[in-house]
Amino acid sequence: MVRKLKKKYYRYLPLYIMMIPGLTYLIINNYIPMAGIIIAFKQINYRLGILKSPFIGLKNFKFLFQSSDAFVITRNTISYNLVFLILTPAVAIMVAILLNEIKNKRAKKTYQTIILMPYLISIIVVSYLVYALLASDTGYINNSILEALGKEGISWYSNAKYWPFIIVIVALWKGFGYQTIIYFATIVGIDSTYYEAAAIDGATRGQRILHVTLPALKSTIITLTLLGIGRIFYSDFGLFYQVPLNSGPLMDVTNTIDTYVYRGLLQSNNIGMASAAGVYQSLVGFALVLTANLVVSKISKDDALF
Amino acid sequence: MKKRIIALLVTGCMLLASLSGCSSKTTETDQSEPEQSGSTETSAPAVTEAASGYDFSDRDFTTLKVLMFGDSTSDQAKAVSEALSKITKEKLNCDVDITFVGFGSYATQLNLMLSSGEQLDLFSPFTLGAGTLANAGQILPMDDLLATYGKDTLNAVSQEDWQCAKINGQIFGVPCNKDKAYNLSFTMRKDVLDELGVSVDSLTSFDDLHDLLEKVKEAHPEMYPVISNYGGTFSYLPVDSLGGGDAVLLDPYNSDSLKVENFIASDYFKNLCETMYSWAKEGLIMPDASTNSEGYSSLIGSGKGFGYFIHTKQKDSGYNSGATSENGTDMESWIYKEAISVTNAVALVWSVPTTSVDPDRAMALLDLMYNDPEVSNLCIYGVEGVHYQVIDKDNGIIDYPEGVTASTVGYTSSVAWGWPNEQIAYIWNGNSATAWKDLNSFNASAKQSPAKGFTFDNSSVINEATACNNVDSKYYNALLGGQLDPEVAIPKYLQELKDNGIDTIIAEKQKQLDAWAESNK
């Protein structure tokens, strides 16, 4: 028994050695800073240092729930993320399948690059691209499209009703390329004999996609969705702060937990309260991931993360 | 199974990665400068005796690090540091190392330095504000330091100004000896004014300004008549904000009343918003004013703007020339509300951080900077013969050396007001030789707010303040930029402030203010 175990470890030794650098990085970068969670429960005084600063219990968390905006920011954060969680994979899978159908190699490579491009652009640049489209007096939409149609220009940055759509479109445009590449890689890895077998059985192209490609993508979809659920209480700060140009009238639909914390603490510079918000977000995310994983493992055990 | 465990680890790590990134969200964006910076700050010739020496020869030789805002190049800052070190080596047994950080990133950089525990010995909190730093224990109380190593400074600064630098009864910074009051003005392009044949002196009310702006719009459709500065249409308004926020003294000009009130509920605010709303409808204010991410100087400089609301210093010297050199074109200002001095106007201070290697010596260096003309000149203007030359010895007037210009000098003299004491330094050519006398009489003649000297400690209402900051960012700039209909938006604004505890803030401020007034009787 012992010998068997030894043999097993010996066999995997190179793999364990290869893990060391990555694990060291994770421990230093992700586990050690976890001790900083205590900042969320303290009133930090730099003269006393983190450890000696007084404990104030949950006082730092209060501001997140006391405000009349608490509901709005939670609603915005969660509902935008839910929409992203559904739409991004839908678009990404569609594009990945289409990419796979392209036979010309050079065209395929070109499309891949173009699709990934928005993901690599800084959000600040994106915010100016959006501004170039939406600016009241110089923007492309007001100047070239609405004017040509004989319609009056819209003051985009003062009208909240358009922004749920604008945010979603921008987020999709920026984010789908990355997921497309992941799905595309999975599709490429599907054994071509499945397709041949299906073709011999007389499956049409559509049927092959529906009954071979999609089932093969299932575990990738579940993994990416589970990871997304873990971040459901976070929002892309740049997307919600920079893209609407921090415009006040839009805040009912653009204020999320992250931007709320940023705006509120800009003046007071209180790291205790900022950490409290971070702890709250991670705890909720962690709980959600565990729950979602539990549900997944009940339905299809093989696809659960753990 | 193994795969599962690794997957679990990876998931855990991803969550943590997001967690660890959260605590640094509170960086600060740049705010408008507390001053309209004039590159041509001025001074009377140095007459005071050099500061008395404190003996540090028994301590280890060290290097003191000084942080300053402004756009000097690191080469030139090094040259000045070396020249300064020659003096301090003798007097304080130390070297001095001055680092410059640009306005845009100063608050962020400073925040990082202070939080990381990096050595820093002397700096100005600038937009971060001494109050928050003091509450977080990031700067040292200076009463004892001043009594031992800063006697000259202690005597040189007026009691009134020390009041303004006190936080919970202790001094946390030495106030800069600069203009301590501000006018509220509309600053505009002189060439356009001349072209339209309008004189600034003919303006008496916002109605007059309105007519002028209409003319500007007609003559120059390519210009926005009123522009905003990074989203803000007004820098200050004629109230005493008592340390910031919506709880203010409504009429510090004419009344001695110390009643704290909600500014947003005032008639003044409502009328102003209505005026701005109608101006915006007429196209007199730049569209999307509250989301404008550019400063006024770049908009004026590129010919896209005509004028902007700003606070300015005294009328006679360095006042139009400052705006002129900032914007690269001749500017003139119409003062619509005369000068007032509130705590905020004096609250630009120099402090010793907790991370100083030797607070005693840092204090002594600050004492030297405040009282020694040679040191002050070095800090403000750089090295004689390299960055400036004296052209009028009697009056202490200086100018660039031959062959050097503003764009090639590399050491900025435009932040003279930000150094501890510009008044003992030379006067830049172009200003009147009596510039400092003028400044002093400006400071003395300005109206004083009845609450001048009061500083607000918001730590007991931090949750309410945080929530109200958010409400402000939703409405304040958008209303003053004329983007929202005041009839609809102000009632909503007030309701949200109420829901988020503005009344608690007002009550707390009133309580502190009353206690302050009681102790200052």
Coordinates of all heavy atoms in Angstrom, one line a residue, chain A residues 5-50:
Chain A
L5 N 1.6 4.0 -3.0 CA 1.4 5.4 -2.8 C 2.7 6.2 -3.2 O 2.7 7.2 -4.0 CB 1.1 5.8 -1.4 CG 0.2 7.0 -1.2 CD1 -1.2 6.7 -1.7 CD2 0.1 7.3 0.3
K6 N 3.8 5.6 -2.8 CA 5.1 6.2 -3.1 C 5.3 6.3 -4.6 O 5.8 7.3 -5.1 CB 6.2 5.4 -2.4 CG 7.2 6.2 -1.6 CD 8.3 5.3 -1.0 CE 9.0 6.0 0.1 NZ 9.9 5.0 0.8
K7 N 5.0 5.1 -5.2 CA 5.2 5.0 -6.6 C 4.4 6.1 -7.3 O 4.9 6.7 -8.3 CB 4.8 3.6 -7.1 CG 5.5 3.2 -8.3 CD 5.1 1.8 -8.7 CE 5.1 1.5 -10.2 NZ 4.3 0.4 -10.5
K8 N 3.2 6.2 -6.8 CA 2.3 7.2 -7.5 C 2.8 8.6 -7.4 O 2.9 9.4 -8.4 CB 0.9 7.1 -6.7 CG -0.2 7.5 -7.6 CD -1.5 7.3 -6.9 CE -2.5 8.4 -7.1 NZ -3.6 8.3 -6.2
Y9 N 3.3 8.9 -6.2 CA 3.9 10.3 -6.0 C 5.1 10.5 -6.9 O 5.3 11.5 -7.5 CB 4.2 10.5 -4.5 CG 3.0 11.1 -3.8 CD1 2.5 10.3 -2.7 CD2 2.5 12.3 -4.1 CE1 1.4 10.8 -2.1 CE2 1.4 12.8 -3.4 CZ 0.8 12.0 -2.4 OH -0.2 12.5 -1.8
Y10 N 5.9 9.4 -6.9 CA 7.1 9.5 -7.7 C 6.8 9.8 -9.2 O 7.4 10.6 -9.8 CB 7.9 8.2 -7.6 CG 9.3 8.2 -8.2 CD1 10.3 9.0 -7.5 CD2 9.6 7.6 -9.4 CE1 11.5 9.1 -8.1 CE2 10.8 7.7 -9.9 CZ 11.8 8.4 -9.3 OH 13.1 8.5 -9.8
R11 N 5.8 9.1 -9.6 CA 5.4 9.3 -11.0 C 4.9 10.7 -11.3 O 5.2 11.3 -12.3 CB 4.2 8.3 -11.3 CG 4.2 7.8 -12.7 CD 3.1 6.8 -12.9 NE 2.1 7.3 -13.7 CZ 0.8 6.8 -13.7 NH1 0.5 5.9 -12.8 NH2 -0.1 7.3 -14.5
Y12 N 4.3 11.3 -10.3 CA 3.7 12.7 -10.5 C 4.7 13.8 -10.1 O 4.4 15.0 -10.2 CB 2.4 12.9 -9.8 CG 1.3 12.1 -10.4 CD1 0.5 11.2 -9.7 CD2 1.0 12.3 -11.8 CE1 -0.5 10.4 -10.3 CE2 -0.1 11.6 -12.4 CZ -0.8 10.7 -11.7 OH -1.8 10.0 -12.3
L13 N 5.9 13.4 -9.6 CA 6.8 14.4 -9.0 C 7.1 15.5 -10.0 O 7.0 16.7 -9.6 CB 8.1 13.7 -8.6 CG 9.0 14.5 -7.7 CD1 8.2 14.9 -6.4 CD2 10.3 13.9 -7.4
P14 N 7.4 15.2 -11.2 CA 7.7 16.4 -12.1 C 6.5 17.4 -12.2 O 6.7 18.6 -12.2 CB 7.9 15.7 -13.5 CG 8.2 14.3 -13.2 CD 7.5 14.0 -11.9
L15 N 5.3 16.8 -12.1 CA 4.1 17.7 -12.2 C 4.0 18.6 -11.0 O 3.8 19.8 -11.0 CB 2.8 16.9 -12.3 CG 2.7 16.2 -13.7 CD1 1.3 15.4 -13.7 CD2 2.7 17.2 -14.8
Y16 N 4.3 18.0 -9.8 CA 4.3 18.8 -8.6 C 5.3 19.9 -8.6 O 5.1 21.0 -8.2 CB 4.5 17.9 -7.4 CG 3.3 17.0 -7.0 CD1 3.2 15.7 -7.1 CD2 2.1 17.7 -6.6 CE1 2.1 15.0 -6.8 CE2 1.0 17.0 -6.3 CZ 1.0 15.6 -6.4 OH -0.2 14.9 -6.1
I17 N 6.5 19.5 -9.1 CA 7.6 20.5 -9.2 C 7.1 21.7 -10.1 O 7.3 22.8 -9.8 CB 8.9 19.9 -9.7 CG1 9.4 18.9 -8.6 CG2 9.9 21.0 -10.0 CD1 10.6 18.1 -9.0
M18 N 6.5 21.3 -11.2 CA 6.0 22.3 -12.1 C 5.0 23.3 -11.4 O 4.8 24.4 -11.8 CB 5.5 21.7 -13.4 CG 6.5 21.3 -14.4 SD 5.9 20.1 -15.5 CE 4.9 21.2 -16.6
M19 N 4.3 22.7 -10.5 CA 3.3 23.5 -9.8 C 3.9 24.6 -8.9 O 3.2 25.6 -8.6 CB 2.4 22.6 -9.0 CG 1.0 22.3 -9.6 SD 0.2 21.1 -8.6 CE -0.5 22.2 -7.4
I20 N 5.1 24.3 -8.4 CA 5.6 25.2 -7.3 C 5.6 26.7 -7.7 O 5.1 27.5 -6.9 CB 7.1 24.7 -6.9 CG1 6.9 23.4 -6.2 CG2 7.7 25.7 -6.0 CD1 8.2 22.8 -5.8
P21 N 6.1 27.1 -8.8 CA 6.1 28.6 -9.1 C 4.8 29.2 -9.1 O 4.5 30.2 -8.4 CB 6.7 28.7 -10.5 CG 7.4 27.4 -10.8 CD 6.7 26.4 -9.9
G22 N 3.8 28.5 -9.7 CA 2.4 29.0 -9.7 C 1.8 29.1 -8.3 O 1.2 30.1 -8.0
L23 N 2.1 28.1 -7.5 CA 1.5 28.1 -6.2 C 2.1 29.1 -5.3 O 1.4 29.8 -4.6 CB 1.8 26.7 -5.5 CG 0.7 25.6 -5.8 CD1 1.0 24.4 -5.0 CD2 -0.7 26.2 -5.4
T24 N 3.5 29.3 -5.5 CA 4.1 30.4 -4.7 C 3.5 31.7 -5.0 O 3.2 32.5 -4.1 CB 5.6 30.4 -5.0 OG1 6.1 29.1 -5.2 CG2 6.4 31.1 -4.0
Y25 N 3.3 31.9 -6.3 CA 2.7 33.2 -6.7 C 1.4 33.4 -6.1 O 1.0 34.4 -5.5 CB 2.6 33.2 -8.3 CG 1.8 34.3 -8.8 CD1 2.3 35.6 -8.9 CD2 0.4 34.1 -9.2 CE1 1.5 36.7 -9.3 CE2 -0.4 35.1 -9.6 CZ 0.2 36.4 -9.7 OH -0.6 37.4 -10.1
L26 N 0.6 32.3 -6.2 CA -0.8 32.4 -5.6 C -0.8 32.7 -4.1 O -1.6 33.5 -3.6 CB -1.6 31.1 -5.9 CG -2.2 31.0 -7.3 CD1 -2.8 29.7 -7.5 CD2 -3.2 32.1 -7.5
I27 N 0.1 32.0 -3.4 CA 0.2 32.2 -2.0 C 0.6 33.6 -1.6 O -0.1 34.3 -0.8 CB 1.1 31.1 -1.3 CG1 0.5 29.8 -1.4 CG2 1.4 31.5 0.1 CD1 1.4 28.6 -1.0
I28 N 1.6 34.1 -2.3 CA 2.1 35.4 -2.0 C 1.1 36.5 -2.4 O 0.7 37.4 -1.7 CB 3.4 35.7 -2.7 CG1 4.5 34.8 -2.1 CG2 3.8 37.2 -2.5 CD1 5.8 34.9 -2.8
N29 N 0.5 36.3 -3.6 CA -0.3 37.3 -4.2 C -1.8 37.2 -3.7 O -2.5 38.3 -3.6 CB -0.3 37.2 -5.7 CG -0.8 38.5 -6.3 OD1 -0.3 39.6 -6.0 ND2 -1.8 38.4 -7.2
N30 N -2.3 36.0 -3.4 CA -3.7 35.9 -3.0 C -4.0 35.4 -1.6 O -5.0 35.8 -1.1 CB -4.3 34.9 -4.0 CG -4.2 35.4 -5.4 OD1 -3.4 34.9 -6.2 ND2 -5.0 36.4 -5.8
Y31 N -3.1 34.6 -1.0 CA -3.4 34.1 0.3 C -2.9 35.0 1.4 O -3.7 35.4 2.3 CB -2.9 32.7 0.5 CG -3.8 31.7 -0.1 CD1 -3.7 31.4 -1.5 CD2 -4.8 31.0 0.6 CE1 -4.6 30.5 -2.1 CE2 -5.6 30.1 0.0 CZ -5.5 29.9 -1.3 OH -6.4 29.0 -1.9
I32 N -1.7 35.5 1.3 CA -1.1 36.3 2.4 C -1.9 37.6 2.5 O -2.2 38.0 3.6 CB 0.4 36.6 2.1 CG1 1.1 35.2 2.2 CG2 0.9 37.6 3.1 CD1 2.6 35.3 2.0
P33 N -2.3 38.3 1.4 CA -3.0 39.6 1.6 C -4.4 39.4 2.2 O -5.0 40.3 2.7 CB -3.2 40.1 0.1 CG -2.1 39.4 -0.6 CD -1.9 38.1 0.0
M34 N -4.8 38.1 2.3 CA -6.1 37.8 2.9 C -6.1 38.3 4.4 O -7.2 38.6 4.9 CB -6.4 36.3 2.9 CG -7.6 36.0 2.1 SD -7.7 34.2 2.1 CE -9.3 34.0 2.8
A35 N -5.0 38.3 5.0 CA -4.9 38.8 6.4 C -5.4 40.2 6.5 O -5.9 40.7 7.5 CB -3.5 38.8 6.9
G36 N -5.3 41.0 5.3 CA -5.8 42.3 5.3 C -7.3 42.5 5.5 O -7.8 43.6 5.7
I37 N -8.0 41.4 5.5 CA -9.5 41.4 5.8 C -9.8 42.1 7.1 O -10.8 42.8 7.3 CB -10.1 40.0 5.8 CG1 -10.2 39.5 4.3 CG2 -11.5 40.0 6.4 CD1 -10.8 38.1 4.2
I38 N -8.8 42.0 8.1 CA -9.1 42.6 9.4 C -9.2 44.1 9.3 O -9.9 44.8 10.1 CB -8.0 42.3 10.4 CG1 -6.6 42.7 9.9 CG2 -8.1 40.9 10.9 CD1 -5.6 42.7 11.0
I39 N -8.7 44.7 8.2 CA -8.8 46.2 8.0 C -10.3 46.5 8.0 O -10.7 47.6 8.5 CB -8.1 46.6 6.7 CG1 -6.6 46.5 6.9 CG2 -8.4 48.0 6.4 CD1 -5.8 46.7 5.6
A40 N -11.1 45.7 7.4 CA -12.5 46.0 7.3 C -13.2 46.1 8.7 O -14.3 46.7 8.8 CB -13.2 44.9 6.5
F41 N -12.6 45.6 9.7 CA -13.2 45.6 11.0 C -12.5 46.6 12.0 O -12.8 46.6 13.1 CB -13.2 44.2 11.6 CG -13.9 43.2 10.8 CD1 -13.2 42.4 9.9 CD2 -15.3 43.0 10.8 CE1 -13.8 41.5 9.1 CE2 -15.9 42.1 10.0 CZ -15.2 41.3 9.1
K42 N -11.7 47.4 11.4 CA -10.9 48.3 12.2 C -11.0 49.7 11.8 O -11.3 50.0 10.7 CB -9.4 47.9 12.2 CG -9.1 46.6 12.8 CD -7.7 46.4 13.1 CE -7.5 45.4 14.2 NZ -6.3 45.6 15.0
Q43 N -10.8 50.6 12.8 CA -10.7 52.0 12.4 C -9.2 52.3 12.3 O -8.5 52.4 13.3 CB -11.3 52.9 13.5 CG -11.1 54.4 13.2 CD -12.0 55.2 14.0 OE1 -12.7 54.8 14.9 NE2 -12.0 56.5 13.7
I44 N -8.7 52.4 11.0 CA -7.3 52.4 10.8 C -6.7 53.7 11.3 O -7.1 54.8 10.9 CB -7.0 52.1 9.3 CG1 -7.4 50.7 8.9 CG2 -5.5 52.4 9.0 CD1 -6.6 49.7 9.7
N45 N -5.7 53.6 12.1 CA -4.9 54.7 12.4 C -3.4 54.4 12.1 O -2.8 53.5 12.7 CB -5.0 55.0 13.9 CG -4.3 56.3 14.3 OD1 -3.2 56.6 13.8 ND2 -4.9 57.1 15.2
Y46 N -2.8 55.1 11.2 CA -1.5 54.8 10.7 C -0.4 54.9 11.7 O 0.6 54.2 11.7 CB -1.1 55.6 9.4 CG -1.9 55.2 8.2 CD1 -3.2 55.8 8.0 CD2 -1.4 54.3 7.3 CE1 -3.9 55.5 6.9 CE2 -2.2 54.0 6.2 CZ -3.4 54.5 6.0 OH -4.1 54.2 4.9
R47 N -0.7 55.7 12.7 CA 0.3 55.9 13.7 C 0.4 54.6 14.6 O 1.4 54.3 15.1 CB 0.1 57.1 14.6 CG 0.5 58.4 13.9 CD 0.0 59.6 14.7 NE 0.9 59.8 15.8 CZ 0.6 60.7 16.7 NH1 -0.5 61.4 16.7 NH2 1.4 60.9 17.7
L48 N -0.8 54.0 14.8 CA -0.8 52.8 15.6 C -0.5 51.5 14.8 O -0.1 50.5 15.3 CB -2.2 52.6 16.2 CG -2.7 53.8 17.1 CD1 -4.1 53.6 17.5 CD2 -1.8 53.9 18.3
G49 N -0.7 51.6 13.5 CA -0.5 50.5 12.7 C -1.7 49.6 12.6 O -2.7 49.8 13.4
I50 N -1.7 48.7 11.6 CA -3.0 48.0 11.3 C -3.4 47.1 12.5 O -4.5 47.1 13.0 CB -2.8 47.1 10.1 CG1 -2.7 47.9 8.8 CG2 -3.9 46.1 10.0 CD1 -2.4 47.2 7.6

